[in-house]
Amino acid sequence: MITRKRLAAAVCGLLVTLTGGLSPVAAWADDGEPGAGTKEAPKVELVLDVSGSMRARDIDGQSRMAAAKQAFNEVLDAVPAEVRLGIRTLGADYPGKDRKEGCKDTRQLYPVGPLDRTEAKTAVATLTPTGWTPIGPALLAAAKDLEGGDATRRIVLITDGEDTCAPLDPCEVAREIAAKGIHLTIDTLGLVPDAKTRAQLVCIAEATGGTYTSVRHTDELSERVSQLVDRAAKPVVTPVATRGADACAEAPVLQPGLYTDRESFGQHRWYRVEVVPGQELRASVSIAADRAVNRDYGVLLRASTLAGREIVRGEAAGDGRTDVVSTGLRYPKPDIEDADTDTDAKPAAETVCLRVSNSFSAPASVKTTPGLPVELSIAVVDGPDTAGDPAFFGLGRGWWFLGALVLAGFLAGLLWGWISRWRVTVWRTN
């Protein structure tokens, strides 16, 4: 007798067989090559403010300290295995009013090294909002914690207030750290920050090439810290300064990499990329509104031939809710399949003209010079097998997989309907 469990097993087996046999699983493997050498493990130290103000209950109905602990637990669960992580506190131990003592209140809660998640979580769980906010001393100590070797180094500072230990200005401390040339980046996160706190944290981050983020919810804190830890494991490439031209013929030829430029309001800038048959060009651009701009703006990234024929474009628009607008495009250059072609000769490259345009405008009181900061990313990789049709944009294997799923679902439905009818007939006969 056929039972429900047997029927379910049969249908699941059919789905596995169909999708396994029809979908090109092997084609989804990572195309990247492992690194030729072993790199030193990146180092990250999380610096957490445990001062008395962290008792405030204004993050998702709980205290700032509780939100930070929850976020830390989630972050610690997701730390990449290759990252050497440490935790330092500020304001966690001295509850008194002696400013001199309060400004010494920073200690390493968990040493920088291979992570024992249980031990680190247990250490964080013991913290209670206590004392002062010695940000400057904590940053100096954290920099020492990360000394040695050539690894990527990153400090992630989480605080809810200004430093209370002036004249040791934490912004000046950050500049001193940057001046040492040890390639240490400081990222700052402000928990429900006021204007003064925001200004100080922005200054600290900018001094070392880091980022500042305002946080008002627990999930925002967890997500951002995780992103920064991951960024240490996969460092962002330092952009190369370039200068686009007013026409493609005079434009600089860009190799794969990350580039920065500046573009005036409403301007077009041209760049060139050489793409060999069988390769795919992937390009993206971001333009930041680093000053007050009018609402409703956009960015256009257009790829064309030297003759001016458009190949493909990407565009995006903003309406004032974000200060960065980004778009991208992909162009697979069809491979040359000619039996008479000399296989030893290199195929001729095609010059692709990239035009970056923006539709930003600004109020009359805002200076429009220098231009807006532009970040352009260029990648040229082996192209997908799309039968020479650029319209697929590398999605050919995805269509095969989707088709396999549709066919599997159709056949499974037919089989289930047939079995259901057979069971009803048997039931009525009996």
PDB file of all heavy atoms in Angstrom, residues 25-37:
ATOM      1  N   VAL A  25      25.231  22.163 -12.429  1.00  0.00           N
ATOM      2  CA  VAL A  25      25.744  22.549 -11.118  1.00  0.00           C
ATOM      3  C   VAL A  25      27.216  22.904 -11.173  1.00  0.00           C
ATOM      4  O   VAL A  25      27.681  23.848 -10.549  1.00  0.00           O
ATOM      5  CB  VAL A  25      25.503  21.401 -10.108  1.00  0.00           C
ATOM      6  CG1 VAL A  25      26.110  21.748  -8.758  1.00  0.00           C
ATOM      7  CG2 VAL A  25      24.012  21.130  -9.973  1.00  0.00           C
ATOM      8  N   ALA A  26      27.956  22.127 -11.959  1.00  0.00           N
ATOM      9  CA  ALA A  26      29.396  22.370 -12.006  1.00  0.00           C
ATOM     10  C   ALA A  26      29.725  23.753 -12.527  1.00  0.00           C
ATOM     11  O   ALA A  26      30.746  24.336 -12.187  1.00  0.00           O
ATOM     12  CB  ALA A  26      30.066  21.320 -12.881  1.00  0.00           C
ATOM     13  N   ALA A  27      28.825  24.295 -13.367  1.00  0.00           N
ATOM     14  CA  ALA A  27      29.091  25.603 -13.960  1.00  0.00           C
ATOM     15  C   ALA A  27      28.960  26.725 -12.953  1.00  0.00           C
ATOM     16  O   ALA A  27      29.363  27.846 -13.216  1.00  0.00           O
ATOM     17  CB  ALA A  27      28.134  25.846 -15.125  1.00  0.00           C
ATOM     18  N   TRP A  28      28.392  26.432 -11.780  1.00  0.00           N
ATOM     19  CA  TRP A  28      28.206  27.479 -10.771  1.00  0.00           C
ATOM     20  C   TRP A  28      29.397  27.563  -9.835  1.00  0.00           C
ATOM     21  O   TRP A  28      29.399  28.345  -8.898  1.00  0.00           O
ATOM     22  CB  TRP A  28      26.940  27.199  -9.950  1.00  0.00           C
ATOM     23  CG  TRP A  28      25.702  27.388 -10.723  1.00  0.00           C
ATOM     24  CD1 TRP A  28      25.297  26.706 -11.841  1.00  0.00           C
ATOM     25  CD2 TRP A  28      24.667  28.335 -10.476  1.00  0.00           C
ATOM     26  NE1 TRP A  28      24.101  27.165 -12.287  1.00  0.00           N
ATOM     27  CE2 TRP A  28      23.674  28.161 -11.472  1.00  0.00           C
ATOM     28  CE3 TRP A  28      24.479  29.313  -9.508  1.00  0.00           C
ATOM     29  CZ2 TRP A  28      22.528  28.919 -11.519  1.00  0.00           C
ATOM     30  CZ3 TRP A  28      23.328  30.070  -9.543  1.00  0.00           C
ATOM     31  CH2 TRP A  28      22.366  29.876 -10.549  1.00  0.00           C
ATOM     32  N   ALA A  29      30.420  26.764 -10.057  1.00  0.00           N
ATOM     33  CA  ALA A  29      31.590  26.783  -9.172  1.00  0.00           C
ATOM     34  C   ALA A  29      32.289  28.121  -9.263  1.00  0.00           C
ATOM     35  O   ALA A  29      32.230  28.810 -10.264  1.00  0.00           O
ATOM     36  CB  ALA A  29      32.553  25.661  -9.562  1.00  0.00           C
ATOM     37  N   ASP A  30      32.999  28.467  -8.204  1.00  0.00           N
ATOM     38  CA  ASP A  30      33.717  29.742  -8.159  1.00  0.00           C
ATOM     39  C   ASP A  30      34.813  29.756  -9.201  1.00  0.00           C
ATOM     40  O   ASP A  30      35.618  28.837  -9.301  1.00  0.00           O
ATOM     41  CB  ASP A  30      34.308  29.917  -6.751  1.00  0.00           C
ATOM     42  CG  ASP A  30      34.883  31.298  -6.551  1.00  0.00           C
ATOM     43  OD1 ASP A  30      34.793  32.111  -7.478  1.00  0.00           O
ATOM     44  OD2 ASP A  30      35.413  31.545  -5.449  1.00  0.00           O
ATOM     45  N   ASP A  31      34.868  30.822 -10.007  1.00  0.00           N
ATOM     46  CA  ASP A  31      35.872  30.937 -11.046  1.00  0.00           C
ATOM     47  C   ASP A  31      37.202  31.473 -10.528  1.00  0.00           C
ATOM     48  O   ASP A  31      38.182  31.508 -11.248  1.00  0.00           O
ATOM     49  CB  ASP A  31      35.379  31.878 -12.168  1.00  0.00           C
ATOM     50  CG  ASP A  31      34.164  31.301 -12.867  1.00  0.00           C
ATOM     51  OD1 ASP A  31      34.065  30.072 -12.917  1.00  0.00           O
ATOM     52  OD2 ASP A  31      33.332  32.101 -13.346  1.00  0.00           O
ATOM     53  N   GLY A  32      37.213  31.943  -9.256  1.00  0.00           N
ATOM     54  CA  GLY A  32      38.427  32.573  -8.741  1.00  0.00           C
ATOM     55  C   GLY A  32      39.536  31.573  -8.484  1.00  0.00           C
ATOM     56  O   GLY A  32      39.308  30.411  -8.180  1.00  0.00           O
ATOM     57  N   GLU A  33      40.766  32.055  -8.596  1.00  0.00           N
ATOM     58  CA  GLU A  33      41.934  31.230  -8.330  1.00  0.00           C
ATOM     59  C   GLU A  33      42.425  31.508  -6.922  1.00  0.00           C
ATOM     60  O   GLU A  33      42.402  32.633  -6.456  1.00  0.00           O
ATOM     61  CB  GLU A  33      43.044  31.561  -9.333  1.00  0.00           C
ATOM     62  CG  GLU A  33      42.713  31.186 -10.767  1.00  0.00           C
ATOM     63  CD  GLU A  33      42.626  29.687 -10.972  1.00  0.00           C
ATOM     64  OE1 GLU A  33      43.267  28.951 -10.210  1.00  0.00           O
ATOM     65  OE2 GLU A  33      41.908  29.246 -11.887  1.00  0.00           O
ATOM     66  N   PRO A  34      42.854  30.485  -6.214  1.00  0.00           N
ATOM     67  CA  PRO A  34      43.392  30.722  -4.876  1.00  0.00           C
ATOM     68  C   PRO A  34      44.640  31.567  -4.940  1.00  0.00           C
ATOM     69  O   PRO A  34      45.368  31.574  -5.922  1.00  0.00           O
ATOM     70  CB  PRO A  34      43.714  29.291  -4.375  1.00  0.00           C
ATOM     71  CG  PRO A  34      43.846  28.475  -5.622  1.00  0.00           C
ATOM     72  CD  PRO A  34      42.926  29.094  -6.624  1.00  0.00           C
ATOM     73  N   GLY A  35      44.900  32.300  -3.869  1.00  0.00           N
ATOM     74  CA  GLY A  35      46.057  33.183  -3.849  1.00  0.00           C
ATOM     75  C   GLY A  35      47.362  32.415  -3.932  1.00  0.00           C
ATOM     76  O   GLY A  35      47.481  31.286  -3.459  1.00  0.00           O
ATOM     77  N   ALA A  36      48.332  33.049  -4.547  1.00  0.00           N
ATOM     78  CA  ALA A  36      49.617  32.384  -4.747  1.00  0.00           C
ATOM     79  C   ALA A  36      50.382  32.276  -3.438  1.00  0.00           C
ATOM     80  O   ALA A  36      51.134  31.349  -3.221  1.00  0.00           O
ATOM     81  CB  ALA A  36      50.437  33.152  -5.783  1.00  0.00           C
ATOM     82  N   GLY A  37      50.201  33.225  -2.545  1.00  0.00           N
ATOM     83  CA  GLY A  37      50.930  33.194  -1.286  1.00  0.00           C
ATOM     84  C   GLY A  37      49.985  33.286  -0.109  1.00  0.00           C
ATOM     85  O   GLY A  37      48.808  33.563  -0.256  1.00  0.00           O
TER      86      GLY A  37
END
